[in-house]
Amino acid sequence: MGQIIDQFGLFKSPISKSTFIKMVGLLLVAGGMLLATGAFMPKDKMAKKQHHLLPYQLLGIFAGVLMATQTAINGHLGVILKSSLHAAMISFTVGALLLIIIVLILPVQISNLKLAYQNFSKQWWLWIGGFLGAIYVLGCAWLVPQIGTGQVIVLVLFGQLFFSAIIDNWGLLHSKVNPINLMRILGLITMFIGVVVLHFI
Protein backbone atom coordinates (compact mmCIF):
# COMPACT_ATOMS: atom_id res chain seq x y z
CA MET A 1 0.00 0.00 0.00
CA GLY A 2 2.85 2.36 0.82
CA GLN A 3 4.32 1.91 -2.65
CA ILE A 4 0.94 2.62 -4.27
CA ILE A 5 0.63 5.81 -2.22
CA ASP A 6 4.10 6.92 -3.37
CA GLN A 7 3.50 5.94 -7.00
CA PHE A 8 0.42 8.14 -7.35
CA GLY A 9 1.17 10.72 -4.65
CA LEU A 10 -1.98 9.86 -2.70
CA PHE A 11 -2.77 12.02 0.35
CA LYS A 12 -0.24 14.58 -0.99
CA SER A 13 2.58 12.15 -0.30
CA PRO A 14 5.86 12.81 -2.19
CA ILE A 15 5.64 11.07 -5.58
CA SER A 16 8.23 8.35 -6.02
CA LYS A 17 7.79 6.41 -9.24
CA SER A 18 8.45 2.68 -9.27
CA THR A 19 11.64 1.52 -10.98
CA PHE A 20 12.98 -1.93 -11.79
CA ILE A 21 15.38 -1.75 -8.83
CA LYS A 22 12.55 -0.72 -6.49
CA MET A 23 10.39 -3.61 -7.70
CA VAL A 24 13.27 -6.04 -7.05
CA GLY A 25 13.64 -4.56 -3.56
CA LEU A 26 9.91 -4.89 -2.90
CA LEU A 27 9.92 -8.51 -4.08
CA LEU A 28 12.84 -9.26 -1.75
CA VAL A 29 11.02 -7.60 1.15
CA ALA A 30 7.79 -9.47 0.36
CA GLY A 31 9.61 -12.80 -0.03
CA GLY A 32 11.54 -12.22 3.18
CA MET A 33 8.33 -11.36 5.01
CA LEU A 34 6.70 -14.61 3.83
CA LEU A 35 9.76 -16.60 4.93
CA ALA A 36 9.94 -14.84 8.30
CA THR A 37 6.25 -15.40 9.03
CA GLY A 38 6.33 -19.10 8.12
CA ALA A 39 4.34 -18.98 4.87
CA PHE A 40 6.65 -21.57 3.29
CA MET A 41 6.41 -24.09 6.12
CA PRO A 42 5.61 -27.73 5.18
CA LYS A 43 1.89 -28.17 4.53
CA ASP A 44 1.30 -30.46 7.51
CA LYS A 45 2.82 -27.95 9.92
CA MET A 46 1.07 -25.09 8.17
CA ALA A 47 -2.28 -26.81 8.55
CA LYS A 48 -1.75 -27.28 12.29
CA LYS A 49 -0.69 -23.68 12.88
CA GLN A 50 -2.95 -21.77 10.50
CA HIS A 51 -6.15 -23.78 10.47
CA HIS A 52 -9.15 -21.44 10.17
CA LEU A 53 -6.91 -18.36 10.46
CA LEU A 54 -7.57 -16.90 6.99
CA PRO A 55 -10.20 -14.34 8.14
CA TYR A 56 -7.82 -13.07 10.82
CA GLN A 57 -4.94 -12.92 8.34
CA LEU A 58 -7.09 -10.88 5.95
CA LEU A 59 -7.92 -8.53 8.83
CA GLY A 60 -4.19 -8.22 9.45
CA ILE A 61 -3.64 -7.22 5.81
CA PHE A 62 -6.44 -4.67 6.11
CA ALA A 63 -4.79 -3.29 9.26
CA GLY A 64 -1.59 -2.91 7.25
CA VAL A 65 -3.48 -0.92 4.60
CA LEU A 66 -4.86 1.34 7.34
CA MET A 67 -1.38 1.78 8.83
CA ALA A 68 0.11 2.85 5.49
CA THR A 69 -2.79 5.24 4.87
CA GLN A 70 -2.51 6.71 8.37
CA THR A 71 1.23 7.20 7.90
CA ALA A 72 0.73 9.11 4.65
CA ILE A 73 -2.06 11.26 6.10
CA ASN A 74 -0.10 12.14 9.23
CA GLY A 75 2.94 12.94 7.11
CA HIS A 76 0.99 15.44 5.01
CA LEU A 77 -0.73 16.86 8.08
CA GLY A 78 2.72 17.51 9.53
CA VAL A 79 3.67 19.41 6.37
CA ILE A 80 0.50 21.54 6.53
CA LEU A 81 0.97 22.30 10.23
CA LYS A 82 4.75 22.66 9.78
CA SER A 83 5.05 20.42 12.81
CA SER A 84 5.18 16.63 12.99
CA LEU A 85 4.55 16.93 16.72
CA HIS A 86 1.24 18.73 16.20
CA ALA A 87 0.26 16.18 13.55
CA ALA A 88 0.92 13.33 15.99
CA MET A 89 -1.04 15.15 18.71
CA ILE A 90 -4.08 15.58 16.45
CA SER A 91 -3.87 11.94 15.35
CA PHE A 92 -3.78 10.66 18.93
CA THR A 93 -6.49 13.06 20.12
CA VAL A 94 -8.91 11.95 17.38
CA GLY A 95 -8.03 8.30 18.04
CA ALA A 96 -8.56 8.69 21.78
CA LEU A 97 -11.96 10.34 21.27
CA LEU A 98 -13.04 7.50 18.97
CA LEU A 99 -11.94 4.87 21.49
CA ILE A 100 -13.83 6.64 24.29
CA ILE A 101 -16.99 6.64 22.16
CA ILE A 102 -16.55 2.94 21.33
CA VAL A 103 -16.02 2.04 25.00
CA LEU A 104 -19.18 3.97 25.94
CA ILE A 105 -21.25 2.30 23.20
CA LEU A 106 -20.07 -1.29 23.45
CA PRO A 107 -20.86 -3.48 26.50
CA VAL A 108 -17.33 -3.23 27.89
CA GLN A 109 -16.75 -3.49 31.62
CA ILE A 110 -14.95 -0.25 32.47
CA SER A 111 -14.23 -1.69 35.93
CA ASN A 112 -11.66 -3.96 34.25
CA LEU A 113 -9.43 -0.91 33.82
CA LYS A 114 -8.54 -1.13 37.52
CA LEU A 115 -6.60 -4.32 36.72
CA ALA A 116 -4.01 -2.16 34.99
CA TYR A 117 -3.48 -0.23 38.23
CA GLN A 118 -3.32 -3.41 40.27
CA ASN A 119 -0.59 -4.87 38.04
CA PHE A 120 1.47 -1.68 37.85
CA SER A 121 3.95 -2.68 40.56
CA LYS A 122 4.71 -6.04 38.88
CA GLN A 123 4.44 -5.05 35.23
CA TRP A 124 5.02 -1.29 34.99
CA TRP A 125 5.80 -1.57 31.27
CA LEU A 126 2.11 -2.27 30.57
CA TRP A 127 1.63 1.52 30.70
CA ILE A 128 4.19 2.51 28.07
CA GLY A 129 2.28 1.18 25.03
CA GLY A 130 0.71 4.58 24.41
CA PHE A 131 4.08 6.28 24.92
CA LEU A 132 5.69 4.02 22.31
CA GLY A 133 2.74 4.54 19.98
CA ALA A 134 3.12 8.31 20.24
CA ILE A 135 6.81 8.09 19.33
CA TYR A 136 5.94 5.80 16.40
CA VAL A 137 3.27 8.14 15.01
CA LEU A 138 5.51 11.18 15.51
CA GLY A 139 8.45 9.46 13.83
CA CYS A 140 6.38 8.35 10.84
CA ALA A 141 4.81 11.81 10.45
CA TRP A 142 8.31 13.30 10.33
CA LEU A 143 9.80 10.64 8.03
CA VAL A 144 7.12 10.55 5.31
CA PRO A 145 7.98 13.99 3.83
CA GLN A 146 11.67 13.04 3.96
CA ILE A 147 11.73 9.59 2.32
CA GLY A 148 8.16 8.79 1.26
CA THR A 149 5.41 6.55 2.63
CA GLY A 150 6.61 3.39 0.89
CA GLN A 151 10.09 3.44 2.39
CA VAL A 152 8.75 4.33 5.85
CA ILE A 153 6.36 1.37 5.78
CA VAL A 154 9.05 -1.05 4.55
CA LEU A 155 11.52 0.08 7.23
CA VAL A 156 8.84 -0.13 9.93
CA LEU A 157 7.85 -3.61 8.75
CA PHE A 158 11.45 -4.80 8.89
CA GLY A 159 11.86 -3.35 12.39
CA GLN A 160 8.65 -5.03 13.54
CA LEU A 161 9.59 -8.47 12.22
CA PHE A 162 13.18 -8.24 13.46
CA PHE A 163 12.32 -7.19 17.01
CA SER A 164 9.29 -9.48 17.20
CA ALA A 165 11.64 -12.38 16.44
CA ILE A 166 13.82 -11.33 19.39
CA ILE A 167 10.77 -10.98 21.65
CA ASP A 168 9.40 -14.38 20.59
CA ASN A 169 12.73 -16.18 20.90
CA TRP A 170 13.17 -15.27 24.57
CA GLY A 171 9.52 -14.73 25.52
CA LEU A 172 10.12 -11.11 26.46
CA LEU A 173 7.27 -9.01 27.88
CA HIS A 174 5.41 -12.21 28.85
CA SER A 175 4.93 -13.23 25.22
CA LYS A 176 4.70 -16.86 24.13
CA VAL A 177 8.14 -18.38 23.45
CA ASN A 178 8.60 -19.14 19.75
CA PRO A 179 12.27 -19.97 19.05
CA ILE A 180 13.86 -18.45 15.94
CA ASN A 181 14.42 -21.05 13.23
CA LEU A 182 16.54 -21.04 10.07
CA MET A 183 13.58 -20.09 7.87
CA ARG A 184 12.89 -17.01 9.97
CA ILE A 185 16.55 -15.97 9.90
CA LEU A 186 16.68 -16.36 6.11
CA GLY A 187 13.49 -14.31 5.85
CA LEU A 188 14.93 -11.48 7.93
CA ILE A 189 18.18 -11.48 5.91
CA THR A 190 16.21 -11.39 2.66
CA MET A 191 14.09 -8.52 3.97
CA PHE A 192 17.21 -6.63 5.03
CA ILE A 193 18.70 -7.00 1.53
CA GLY A 194 15.41 -5.74 0.09
CA VAL A 195 15.45 -2.72 2.41
CA VAL A 196 19.04 -1.93 1.36
CA VAL A 197 18.07 -2.19 -2.33
CA LEU A 198 15.04 0.07 -1.82
CA HIS A 199 16.77 2.66 0.30
CA PHE A 200 20.36 2.84 -0.93
CA ILE A 201 20.44 1.62 -4.56
Side-chain angles (χ1 to χ4, degrees):
M1 184 63 185
Q3 191 59 40
I4 294 174
I5 290 173
D6 282 353
Q7 175 73 20
F8 300 103
L10 303 179
F11 310 110
K12 302 294 183 179
S13 185
I15 294 177
S16 178
K17 296 291 184 180
S18 295
T19 63
F20 176 74
I21 295 296
K22 279 189 177 181
M23 295 309 296
V24 170
L26 282 172
L27 288 174
L28 285 170
V29 169
M33 181 191 67
L34 292 173
L35 281 170
T37 54
F40 297 124
M41 289 171 59
K43 289 185 178 180
D44 56 336
K45 291 184 179 179
M46 178 77 74
K48 290 179 181 178
K49 283 198 170 186
Q50 299 189 354
H51 187 57
H52 299 308
L53 293 181
L54 181 59
Y56 301 104
Q57 292 166 337
L58 291 175
L59 280 174
I61 293 173
F62 180 65
V65 171
L66 294 180
M67 186 180 78
T69 304
Q70 179 207 35
T71 300
I73 291 172
N74 287 341
H76 183 58
L77 181 59
V79 171
I80 290 176
L81 299 175
K82 298 181 181 179
S83 170
S84 300
L85 182 60
H86 289 155
M89 183 186 69
I90 289 175
S91 178
F92 259 78
T93 301
V94 173
L97 289 173
L98 177 61
L99 287 174
I100 289 171
I101 292 171
I102 291 174
V103 167
L104 293 175
I105 292 175
L106 295 180
V108 179
Q109 292 186 3
I110 299 178
S111 60
N112 285 345
L113 296 176
K114 67 181 180 182
L115 297 175
Y117 291 100
Q118 293 173 355
N119 284 279
F120 178 76
S121 59
K122 297 179 181 178
Q123 300 173 4
W124 59 268
W125 42 265
L126 291 173
W127 287 84
I128 67 172
F131 175 78
L132 298 176
I135 293 176
Y136 163 75
V137 171
L138 174 60
C140 288
W142 181 78
L143 281 171
V144 165
Q146 314 300 323
I147 62 176
T149 305
Q151 288 200 43
V152 172
I153 295 302
V154 167
L155 292 168
V156 166
L157 179 61
F158 175 75
Q160 287 177 333
L161 286 175
F162 178 76
F163 197 64
S164 67
I166 294 174
I167 290 174
D168 284 353
N169 190 64
W170 284 285
L172 303 178
L173 305 175
H174 290 228
S175 65
K176 181 181 178 181
V177 175
N178 184 18
I180 298 175
N181 53 33
L182 179 60
M183 190 75 73
R184 203 166 185 182
I185 293 172
L186 288 175
L188 289 170
I189 292 172
T190 304
M191 277 196 74
F192 178 73
I193 295 171
V195 168
V196 171
V197 169
L198 277 170
H199 196 62
F200 298 107
I201 298 180

